Amino acid sequence: MDDDDLPRRRDDVLAALAKQSLDPLSVAELDDRIAVLEAEIARTKAHKAAAGSFKASAEALFRKG
């Protein structure tokens, strides 16, 4: 079985990101990284809110039926 056949853990990317050394980055690169991470946080929160809304709608639909 190849490693490509194994299921990927959801936190692989997050773990790799957390392990990256920040030492070689300039202040401008750190600012860029922060902006990208903040945008990703906003995107993730929006997706979570939409998923929660969808779940609540689905639960309400099945309670009525």
Side-chain angles (χ1 to χ4, degrees):
M1 179 186 267
D2 292 340
D3 285 343
D4 292 335
D5 295 336
L6 297 175
R8 297 276 184 213
R9 291 182 44 152
R10 285 185 14 194
D11 61 347
D12 280 351
V13 174
L14 296 176
L17 182 67
K19 291 178 185 177
Q20 287 178 345
S21 174
L22 301 177
D23 292 335
L25 301 178
S26 68
V27 172
E29 290 170 325
L30 290 169
D31 286 339
D32 290 344
R33 182 182 175 108
I34 290 168
V36 169
L37 291 171
E38 287 174 341
E40 181 60 14
I41 290 168
R43 185 178 79 92
T44 303
K45 285 181 177 181
H47 182 78
K48 179 183 174 186
S53 175
F54 179 79
K55 181 180 177 187
S57 297
E59 287 174 350
L61 175 69
F62 287 108
R63 269 188 242 133
K64 290 180 183 177

